[in-house]
Amino acid sequence: MRDPVLMSRRLLLKSAAGAVLATACRTANPSAPKRPRQIGYLSTGPRLPADHPAYVAFRDGMRAESFVEDTNYEMTYRYCEGDPDRAVPLAVDLVYAGAEVLVVTSTGATQAARVVTPNVPIVMIASHDPIDAGVIKELVKPGENVTGQSLAGATLMPKQLDYLLQLAPVRRLGYLSPTFPTYAQAYPSVTDAFERSMRAAGKPLGIEVISPKVPKTGDVGQALATLAAESVDALFVIESPTWFTGAVSQKPINQIVDFATRRRLPLIGAQRMYAADQGFLLTYGDVRSAVDMHRSVARYVARILRGERPGDLAVDVPKFWELVVNAKTASAIGLDVPQPVIAEAALVIH
């Protein structure tokens, strides 16, 4: 089998010659109309409509920086739609299309884009932990061509487990994360990095982490069967666009929530939307929503388009965290939420 990364690099090198020639032609004809700046958007998740709140927020953020879509910048979108193996070819496609900046939605998408190009600036909307993922050197001065926003997910896991233990005794924790490809030897497996962080958080608390393999497609059927056989006490789900692909009845997120509800298992995660919209018992994480992060990432894009180097722009990390408790879910699975937890919650859903 041919190496898809190597093939993508060869395609990119061939396309680069055409891009240089096109640039030379435009330079030779100064009377030609000035082309809007080109921005590529790479998502590992499902295709979203143009009026999705996150995209509206990005356009608002760009407008605040004096960039107006279809006037002085244009967007080209590419979606993996649940298949992370498509990330590298799609990144090649965006670079070939002339993207001057790549906006990427996840850690896996960041690695894929970095494999394709060491030169085109890459801006992360939300990376779980970009240092562990090998795409930046440090937060303050990331270096090379990557910057953006980090969720700092690994640092939150001990506190997430602490809240869980206040709600229920847990000795065996089910842990679900999609399987992401290892895009190049230089980059560690995102899946393995997430799992190591959770095991490290659980060990001092006496929690054994049960982490069945989830196929890259996000098909959770076999993984849930394994967790049932292992008699786990609770379930932690890493945030990922992969969970939201497919038809409504087949979306992995719906299967996961149904599994936890039927077995009366506490289900926890990091982002507010999982408790507020999906019925998780508890989430603890960054106060910024996907909409917020799309709006704020626009400033990085604008600064780069004005000539700043991505490697000189500090990666933004969470400054405020929030606890969200779904009391309705707690009641459904027969749990009483202690008053101290209620008192700390930024939002309690009844």
Side-chain angles (χ1 to χ4, degrees):
M1 180 181 292
R2 295 182 179 180
D3 184 341
V5 173
L6 181 59
M7 292 174 66
S8 296
R9 280 192 176 278
R10 287 173 177 168
L11 176 59
L12 186 60
L13 288 171
K14 290 179 181 179
S15 68
V20 170
L21 179 60
T23 301
C25 291
R26 287 195 300 269
T27 304
N29 183 11
S31 63
K34 190 174 182 180
R35 186 188 186 199
R37 309 302 295 272
Q38 300 297 304
I39 301 171
Y41 183 98
L42 177 62
S43 169
T44 49
R47 187 178 303 274
L48 299 175
D51 61 352
H52 189 279
Y55 293 165
V56 173
F58 179 79
R59 290 193 289 270
D60 288 345
M62 291 294 286
R63 190 176 296 110
E65 297 290 334
S66 301
F67 285 92
V68 179
E69 188 173 19
D70 296 329
T71 298
N72 57 355
Y73 80 92
E74 294 176 343
M75 295 291 297
T76 302
Y77 295 90
R78 294 292 182 268
Y79 303 90
C80 295
E81 300 190 83
D83 183 359
D85 280 341
R86 298 180 64 194
V88 167
L90 291 177
V92 169
D93 189 30
L94 289 169
V95 174
Y96 176 71
E100 299 170 68
V101 180
L102 293 176
V103 178
V104 294
T105 62
S106 65
T107 306
T110 307
Q111 285 186 335
R114 186 71 180 84
V115 164
V116 168
T117 175
N119 300 316
V120 176
I122 299 166
V123 181
M124 307 174 293
I125 294 175
S127 174
H128 190 269
D129 192 330
I131 294 178
D132 277 357
V135 294
I136 66 170
K137 297 175 181 177
E138 58 180 77
L139 295 172
V140 175
K141 199 174 181 66
E144 299 182 350
N145 66 322
V146 180
T147 189
Q149 301 172 143
S150 169
L151 295 172
T155 63
L156 302 180
M157 288 177 175
K159 189 65 174 178
Q160 290 161 343
L161 295 184
D162 177 64
Y163 280 125
L164 174 61
L165 290 175
Q166 293 184 57
L167 295 175
V170 176
R171 286 293 171 262
R172 294 169 66 79
L173 176 69
Y175 173 83
L176 290 178
S177 170
T179 297
F180 296 96
T182 300
Y183 292 107
Q185 290 185 348
Y187 300 122
S189 162
V190 174
T191 308
D192 292 347
F194 291 171
E195 184 179 335
R196 281 196 304 272
S197 298
M198 180 53 74
R199 291 189 185 281
K203 186 174 181 180
L205 299 173
I207 295 176
E208 179 185 3
V209 175
I210 311 298
S211 179
K213 183 178 177 63
V214 177
K216 63 187 179 184
T217 58
D219 183 358
V220 294
Q222 185 56 53
L224 294 177
T226 299
L227 294 177
E230 292 283 353
S231 300
V232 297
D233 305 312
L235 186 56
F236 182 99
V237 177
I238 201 79
E239 61 273 10
S240 171
T242 303
W243 303 134
F244 296 88
T245 57
V248 173
S249 62
Q250 298 175 331
K251 283 184 179 179
I253 190 66
N254 294 337
Q255 297 178 58
I256 292 167
V257 172
D258 180 65
F259 172 85
T261 302
R262 284 188 289 105
R263 293 185 168 272
R264 300 167 73 87
L265 295 176
L267 175 59
I268 70 169
Q271 294 181 339
R272 172 193 280 237
M273 60 171 281
Y274 285 85
D277 302 331
Q278 304 301 328
F280 279 35
L281 171 64
L282 176 153
T283 59
Y284 179 73
D286 193 344
V287 299
R288 298 172 297 178
S289 67
V291 171
D292 296 329
M293 298 187 85
H294 274 75
R295 181 180 295 107
S296 57
V297 85
R299 187 163 185 267
Y300 280 96
V301 175
R303 291 176 68 179
I304 290 168
L305 290 177
R306 292 190 183 108
E308 294 191 60
R309 290 163 39 89
D312 295 334
L313 302 178
V315 171
D316 191 23
V317 296
K319 298 175 179 63
F320 301 99
W321 295 266
E322 66 175 4
L323 171 67
V324 178
V325 176
N326 193 318
K328 185 177 178 180
T329 297
S331 177
I333 64 174
L335 281 181
D336 293 323
V337 181
Q339 191 56 41
V341 175
I342 294 290
E344 289 189 46
L347 174 66
V348 179
I349 300 166
H350 294 283

